[in-house]
Amino acid sequence: MQIRNIAIIAHVDHGKTTLVDQMLRQAGVFRANERLTERVMDSNPLERERGITILSKNTAVRWDDTKINIVDTPGHADFGGEVERILRMVDGFLLLVDAAEGPMPQTRFVASKALALGLKPIVLVNKIDRQDAEPLRVHDEVLQLFLDLEATQEQFNCPFLYTSSRAGTATADLRTPGTDLKPLFQTILDTIPPPVADPAGPFQMLVSTLDYSSYLGRIAIGRIERGRVRVGETVALLPLGAPGPVGDGPYEQARVVKLFSFDGLERVEVQEASAGDIVALAGMVGVEIGKTVTAPDYLERLAGIAVEEPTISVDVKVNDSPFAGREGKFVTGRQVRERLFRELEKNVALRVEETDDPQTFTVSGRGELHLGILMETMRREGFEFQVSRPRIIPREGPNGERLEPYEELMIDCPEGYLGVIMEKLGPRRAELLDMKNPGVGTVRMRFKIPARGLLGYRSEFLTDTRGTGVMHHRFFDYGPWAGPLQGRSRGVMVADREGVAVGFALFNLQERGTMFVKPGDAVYEGMVVGENVRTGDMDVNPAKEKKLTNMRTTASDEMIILEPPRQVTLELALEYIEDDELIEVTPSSIRLRKRALGATERRKLARNARSAEES
């Protein structure tokens, strides 16, 4: 059987997963009368809730006598590590571009990685059924992008198709509307080369991704580069290192317990697989992403997987608040440490380091969303912990100068909000690279901004644009230190005692700012219960009850009207907190708190900090 290995890459929300769903349907994976919920590839509960792809997934369809292995990838820049590691498994890629938005920051990022590996592209101008679609303009913008990324002549002359993921149609000519995805399947067979592999040589495979089964343990997924593998055979698992023959160094020997191939959405158990196919192997204990599995009598290591370094880090520490251990199942430092290091096995863009404090761990990732998804997954598993404010990871330049990461920020917003965005980005040291006005009432701006300047900006941006603006960013490069940046402009309300929030107290406090708690919520000393309208923090008592006398009764409280509190999500909390604050994350609550819970202790620390600055 012929084999084709392709990846689908694009910017977030340009229609990759919907297109894969339609390919599965039209290739006969589902029966014609079978009801199919949309986005069948997004199997993770977090992916379904947020409507984004977080993890790369393998599937396969059969078209005529050819098996097409498809890898669906995330579109968000924070999960770029997922894209970088799976590109080694494929020989070509479908580059999806929105027919109205055109190439976006993540499109440039993933396309540059794929073109540098010499993969064959097929460009799909998607969503041509949008009212504001301009497929011909987007066609030219993609060609310009390929020029900027120094694509080869063969890559530059790739085929273009015009598709609608939702309708499941594709056409090579806009004058003849498509009726199904047959042109896409045919283009894949004609354009993407079969894998260049030697089925007769000794077995060799690079581990590109991992899965886990409680019955089988770790499962290694990758493309067989050479030879064949059979169930029951002995294989060698080589440690990470430089490519080429391995000498007398130690390596692990294991037996292939189970062998799986991909067919539709299922993993099918097979007895044998040959070069070029993407398979899953079970039976190796110490398997990690980037390691090479070979025949034991021919120890040759493949080049490992290179992933860009993380740019943002947080401290994850054991929960030590007065409410510690009430809601979580896993609360000790040992349990948190084991879970974080277990995540490293699958999440190649993540870094975890131990600190001088055995209860605190430094976790580094690609962005706030990357770290936020890990924390959300942990809290759903029953973990309880605290998180510090995100901070950037600086570097040292060739001459000893201090460098910091910069992001490319792209903003689409109505023309009327142009002034307020410029006003807010100025103090954050943003530099305008270019601005386009297509003439439909929306302006597109591209900025270069320090990663520090983006911390906490998303919620401000949505407020400033009344929810009508769209912003995307990706890592740009390391540049000179931009100097001090303005932090949060407002203070917070801090509870001064433990108790339960009551409506009488919150009614009086809501005139001073925005509340984060509602009546009935438990609070403790040092917990942040609201945002102050002024600068500076304010100690408050949200548990203060109305004193009752024979002249004052509870009946008058029935007329109290409380504003709904601001919902504190993990993403909002990571953007919001300052250096002297922490996020308390439990399975059922997300609370903000001060590092120093006592008011006297906080004043003493502030006084010491001021005297240190003056000296």
Side-chain angles (χ1 to χ4, degrees):
M1 178 181 288
Q2 290 282 314
I3 293 176
R4 299 289 189 276
N5 298 320
I6 61 166
I8 298 189
I9 58 180
H11 190 78
V12 64
D13 205 28
H14 277 196
K16 298 180 302 301
T17 305
T18 310
L19 181 71
V20 175
D21 289 353
Q22 287 288 356
M23 291 175 74
L24 290 168
R25 182 188 285 281
Q26 296 191 25
V29 173
F30 305 108
R31 295 188 300 274
N33 62 349
E34 188 174 350
R35 286 182 61 84
L36 177 65
T37 55
E38 196 184 357
R39 300 173 70 88
V40 68
M41 290 296 289
D42 283 347
S43 53
N44 186 316
L46 273 173
E47 293 177 323
R48 291 187 183 277
E49 285 173 27
R50 295 165 183 257
I52 60 173
T53 303
I54 296 171
L55 303 169
S56 297
K57 297 179 192 65
N58 296 68
T59 184
V61 299
R62 295 178 188 274
W63 191 258
D64 295 336
D65 59 345
T66 304
K67 178 184 178 184
I68 303 174
N69 287 311
I70 303 171
V71 188
D72 182 23
T73 65
H76 203 287
D78 282 19
F79 308 111
E82 291 281 320
V83 183
E84 289 171 85
R85 64 187 170 90
I86 61 90
L87 289 176
R88 292 286 297 277
M89 284 198 287
V90 298
D91 304 291
F93 63 99
L94 304 182
L95 181 65
L96 227 72
V97 186
D98 191 295
E101 294 182 357
M104 297 288 277
Q106 181 69 358
T107 315
R108 175 181 291 268
F109 171 77
V110 291
S112 66
K113 297 288 180 188
L115 293 172
L117 287 171
L119 302 179
K120 292 280 187 69
I122 298 174
V123 179
L124 307 182
V125 180
N126 194 31
K127 300 189 183 182
I128 56 171
D129 47 357
R130 280 182 61 159
Q131 286 187 338
D132 56 347
E134 296 181 77
L136 296 178
R137 170 183 63 82
V138 172
H139 179 282
D140 294 343
E141 288 180 356
V142 172
L143 290 179
Q144 183 61 49
L145 174 67
F146 280 11
L147 280 175
D148 295 345
L149 297 177
E150 299 179 354
T152 64
Q153 187 173 353
E154 191 180 8
Q155 290 171 330
F156 187 79
N157 294 324
C158 65
F160 274 75
L161 293 177
Y162 303 94
T163 62
S164 169
S165 292
R166 186 173 294 173
T169 62
T171 178
D173 188 350
L174 284 169
R175 289 168 293 189
T176 55
T179 55
D180 53 27
L181 290 176
K182 280 183 182 176
L184 172 58
F185 284 114
Q186 196 55 50
T187 307
I188 290 173
L189 300 189
D190 296 342
T191 307
I192 306 299
V196 180
D198 175 17
F203 171 65
Q204 190 180 41
M205 181 184 107
L206 181 72
V207 180
S208 295
T209 184
L210 289 179
D211 201 353
Y212 182 80
S213 160
S214 54
Y215 174 59
L216 295 169
R218 291 193 205 176
I219 299 172
I221 300 173
R223 183 178 69 175
I224 301 176
E225 301 289 339
R226 188 177 60 206
R228 293 174 176 271
V229 63
R230 297 175 184 84
V231 175
E233 281 188 343
T234 302
V235 293
L237 181 64
L238 305 182
L240 298 170
V246 177
D248 300 328
Y251 63 89
E252 179 189 334
Q253 278 202 350
R255 194 169 66 88
V256 179
V257 177
K258 296 273 186 183
L259 181 62
F260 300 96
S261 179
F262 293 91
D263 189 7
L265 296 174
E266 303 296 324
R267 271 209 297 250
V268 182
E269 195 170 334
V270 294
Q271 293 301 308
E272 182 182 7
S274 61
D277 202 0
I278 294 176
V279 296
L281 297 177
M284 291 167 285
V285 178
V287 66
E288 291 177 22
I289 290 172
K291 285 190 173 182
T292 305
V293 186
T294 70
D297 55 348
Y298 198 89
L299 304 179
E300 185 181 4
R301 189 188 287 127
L302 291 163
I305 294 172
V307 175
E308 285 188 3
E309 292 293 310
T311 56
I312 283 182
S313 66
V314 296
D315 287 336
V316 175
K317 58 186 295 187
V318 173
N319 188 10
D320 59 0
S321 81
F323 292 171
R326 292 190 184 182
E327 300 166 2
K329 193 169 26 168
F330 308 110
V331 297
T332 66
R334 178 184 59 81
Q335 291 167 327
V336 172
R337 180 187 183 280
E338 283 178 2
R339 177 63 183 84
L340 289 173
F341 278 94
R342 195 163 72 242
E343 184 70 20
L344 290 179
E345 296 170 2
K346 293 185 290 185
N347 199 334
V348 291
L350 199 75
R351 302 282 184 275
V352 178
E353 299 166 34
E354 299 191 61
T355 63
D356 298 336
D357 180 1
Q359 305 293 318
T360 305
F361 309 93
T362 300
V363 182
S364 308
R366 285 283 181 87
E368 291 171 66
L369 183 62
H370 185 205
L371 298 172
I373 292 291
L374 167 63
M375 295 168 201
E376 184 66 37
T377 307
M378 286 176 64
R379 71 179 283 237
R380 292 185 183 204
E381 292 171 0
F383 284 86
E384 191 175 298
F385 52 93
Q386 294 181 139
V387 183
S388 72
R389 184 190 187 195
R391 56 187 180 274
I392 58 104
I393 302 174
R395 276 188 188 172
E396 192 173 295
N399 302 318
E401 70 273 26
R402 196 179 186 191
L403 303 178
E404 66 172 321
Y406 279 75
E407 301 268 325
E408 179 187 17
L409 172 67
M410 192 172 280
I411 288 179
D412 290 297
C413 72
E415 294 174 358
Y417 300 117
L418 197 60
V420 68
I421 287 172
M422 293 291 194
E423 183 186 335
K424 290 291 177 68
L425 287 177
R428 293 174 179 270
R429 302 285 201 277
E431 176 190 339
L432 183 65
L433 298 178
D434 58 55
M435 180 164 62
K436 296 176 185 174
N437 190 341
V440 291
T442 303
V443 180
R444 171 171 292 179
M445 296 169 284
R446 197 162 65 91
F447 295 91
K448 180 183 175 184
I449 183 171
R452 287 182 299 145
L454 276 178
L455 297 177
Y457 178 62
R458 185 178 293 274
S459 53
E460 241 182 90
F461 168 76
L462 291 173
T463 305
D464 292 341
T465 59
R466 307 293 188 270
T468 58
V470 179
M471 64 177 273
H472 296 288
H473 57 90
R474 71 169 185 98
F475 174 69
F476 193 72
D477 62 1
Y478 271 82
W481 188 260
L485 297 182
Q486 180 185 340
R488 190 175 67 205
S489 58
R490 294 182 173 183
V492 290
M493 299 184 199
V494 186
D496 63 359
R497 69 199 70 190
E498 190 171 327
V500 176
V502 295
F504 174 74
L506 299 183
F507 178 70
N508 293 319
L509 289 175
Q510 70 184 10
E511 298 173 2
R512 305 285 191 93
T514 307
M515 304 309 300
F516 295 157
V517 295
K518 60 183 184 299
D521 286 351
V523 299
Y524 54 81
E525 183 183 10
M527 178 175 158
V528 176
V529 296
E531 181 181 69
N532 189 3
V533 290
R534 301 170 184 269
T535 56
D537 298 341
M538 179 169 61
D539 292 322
V540 298
N541 178 12
K544 181 182 179 183
E545 296 184 349
K546 179 179 178 182
K547 296 291 183 284
L548 304 181
T549 68
N550 59 344
M551 299 294 289
R552 297 170 66 191
T553 68
T554 55
S556 59
D557 286 352
E558 292 172 8
M559 296 305 295
I560 283 179
I561 299 174
L562 292 174
E563 295 175 6
R566 185 187 295 179
Q567 288 292 109
V568 180
T569 62
L570 206 44
E571 277 78 23
L572 174 73
L574 283 169
E575 289 183 358
Y576 187 79
I577 62 170
E578 287 291 328
D579 291 330
D580 66 333
E581 294 162 357
L582 294 170
I583 309 167
E584 183 185 349
V585 182
T586 73
S588 52
S589 309
I590 293 175
R591 306 184 187 96
L592 307 182
R593 55 158 288 188
K594 291 289 184 182
R595 283 182 184 266
L597 296 178
T600 310
E601 191 181 349
R602 288 199 302 275
R603 282 194 289 271
K604 193 185 297 180
L605 289 171
R607 198 161 51 241
N608 292 342
R610 278 197 303 272
S611 60
E613 284 177 11
E614 289 167 4
S615 60

